[in-house]
Every structure is written in C-alpha cells, then in structure tokens.
Amino acid sequence: MKYFFTKEDTVATKGFAIFLLLFHHLFYENPEFSVNVMGVNIFNKLALASKVTVAIFIILSGYGLAESVKNKKLEILNFYIKRFSKLFVTYWVIFLIFVPIGVFIFGRSIQSVYGNHAIVKLIIEFFGLQEYVFGHGYNPTWWFMSAIIALYAVFPFLYYLIKRFPVIIFIALTLLLFTSFPEHEWYLPFGVGILLSVHLTSELKTKITQFLFNKTLIAIPVIIGLIVTIVFLRFYHQPFSGVRIDSLFGLLLISLNWIFVKKWNFLNKVLVSFGKVSMEIFLFHTFIFYYFFKDFIYSLKNPILMFIVLASVCWVIGIVLNKLCSRIYSFLSTYAIRKSTVNNANY
C-alpha cells in the first residue's frame, strides 16, 4: 500500500494544479491568444475548463490534513499553531515584498485599490479576512486566504463528524453548495479529501490502484470521457456551472495526473519541482503576469511561449521565496521552543 498516493504524488499533483492555474489565468480572458480549430477557440476553451485548481488544492488539503492526524490524537491547539503559523509566514512574506513593490515601483497605490478606509482594509487583507468584510483587495487571488483560514478552522470538527457520520455530512456539504454561506463552495471538496483519507479501506485502495495502473488502457479512456462530460456540463448546463461539480472533476484530474506521473519519471520530477513551491506561486503569480509585467508577457504573442516564460519565472521566484519562508519559519519555531524551555525551567 506504499504505492497508494504518496506524499510525493501529492506534491506532483500540486504542481499539475499550478500549471492549470497559470494556463487558466493567462488565457481565459484573452481569446485573441489562441488557435481556432473548426471555429472553436482552443486555448480559450481549455483555459475556461482549467478553472478547477482550487478544488484540487482543497481536496489535497483535506486529504493531507486527515492523513497527518488519523493515527494520532488530534490536539486542536497544536494543530492550529502549526498550520496557521506556516500559512501566515508564507503569506506575510509575499505580502510584505509584493505590496511595497506594487506601490513604490509599479504605481499600484493603496488608495486606488481600496478607496475609502484604505489602511483599515489593507490591515484586514494582511490577516486574510478581506472576503468576509469587503471582497477582493490588493491581489484578487488572495481571496484564497479567506477560504483556507475557514477550512483550517473547521478541520478538527469536520474531521470528527466525517469519521462518525460520513453520509450525513457529505449530504450536508453538498447542500451547502446551493447556499450563500461564506466560501460555501469549498467545504465539499475539503470534506471529500477528509472522507477519502478516513474511509478508504486497504481493500478499496488496492482496487483503485489496480484499476488505474494494471488496467491503464481502460482507466485512461474512462477518466478522459468523464472529464469531457463534466466540462460539457459546466459550459452548457446551469445546475453544473461554476464549481458545483468540481469535487468530482478535481478527483478525476488528480487520478489522471497520478497515472501519468507514475508512468513518466521526467514529468513527475518537473511537477514535483513546481509542487514544492505551489503555495508561493499561487500567492504571487498575479503580480507577475498581470500587474507588473503584463505588457511583456502578452507581447510574446505565441501562447505556448507565454506559458513557458510565465511558468519559468514563477518557478524561479517561487524557489527563492520558499527558501526564505522556510528559514523564517525554522527560526521562529526554534525561538518558540527555546522560549518555552526557558519558561518551563523558570517555572
């Protein structure tokens, strides 16, 4: 069972999701950079269909968090300290680097973004709560912070409920999709990730693995057929529009990517390298392709070249930021341990 979706597979899938994210953001609003085939704007359609990155990330988050605690006692306070500290170290480093660059070098002033009460709104966004107060702020993709903060906050309780009442909770999370509850669309994929970790038995894992890897010639056409069906439903049938069907869509893409990264070692290495810096890229890529270097990126004209350049630049910056954030987090963790040791000794 070591073969069943390892940590490296998770990292590679995050890398795949980042590719989808960059492709989506580059071309979904720019149909002029595309190739027309029988009257269909291929790149633009694929970019619209690629809007599933967040669902993939959140499924993986739910699954990974559940895997990390299911064989041990879940200590809620320690869970919150560990998860939120890592999350905010990365976010704040990127915030404190890119906002000043935007303000002082590229002229994206605080007042022009926030309007009234600009400083108050900036502080709210600094803590990732803007979506609950006023909506998008200095970087629209930072809405994800509001969502992931809420999901981390409810995880211990959702994990407990899914372990005991999986069917009831799954139905409740599905119904939540049709409400106006804040960030309502992300609780289902998060719950699906937890559900898979908690309730997938060894027998089911074996069957899934055997189907995907021993019967690849059957598995790949089936998965692709389902993906095409879902894309069609998202485009043309209102009840399935938006993200309502993205839990299934995300699972299918995760499965398809899993097959290919296991078959092709080079692809696995590339995706793992991007997956390791996926959170950093998620948080800063909008600055690169839209606010800072939009004219340069789109002046390349060739959509494949545009994607390669953006991905490469984001990868390099992501590595630098990842190393910086890791060192800061390591320093803070060491300092906190030393402080705790001194306090305990004094006590």
Side-chain angles (χ1 to χ4, degrees), residues 154-166:
V154 303
F155 172 78
F157 313 103
L158 195 57
Y159 176 74
Y160 173 86
L161 292 171
I162 287 175
K163 284 182 70 174
R164 286 153 181 78
F165 316 106

Side-chain angles (χ1 to χ4, degrees), residues 28-62:
Y28 84 105
E29 284 188 339
N30 297 279
E32 66 273 20
F33 299 102
S34 190
V35 177
N36 285 297
V37 178
M38 298 177 64
V40 177
N41 198 318
I42 299 298
F43 275 76
N44 183 244
K45 286 294 184 182
L46 288 175
L48 291 170
S50 298
K51 189 181 180 181
V52 66
T53 300
V54 176
I56 293 174
F57 270 118
I58 289 179
I59 290 169
L60 295 175
S61 294

Side-chain angles (χ1 to χ4, degrees), residues 6 22 24 36 66 70 88 90 120 137 151 153 163 166 172 186 228 236 300 305 317 328 343:
T6 63
L22 297 179
H24 168 69
N36 285 297
K70 73 177 184 181
F88 276 103
T90 302
V120 174
L151 295 175
K163 284 182 70 174
W186 307 121
V228 171
Y236 302 110
L300 298 173
L305 180 60
I317 297 173
I328 292 173
N343 290 339

Side-chain angles (χ1 to χ4, degrees), residues 117-135:
H117 311 294
I119 300 300
V120 174
K121 291 178 180 178
L122 180 69
I123 293 171
I124 291 171
E125 187 165 18
F126 184 73
F127 288 99
L129 301 174
Q130 64 276 12
E131 292 300 313
Y132 301 113
V133 182
F134 59 85

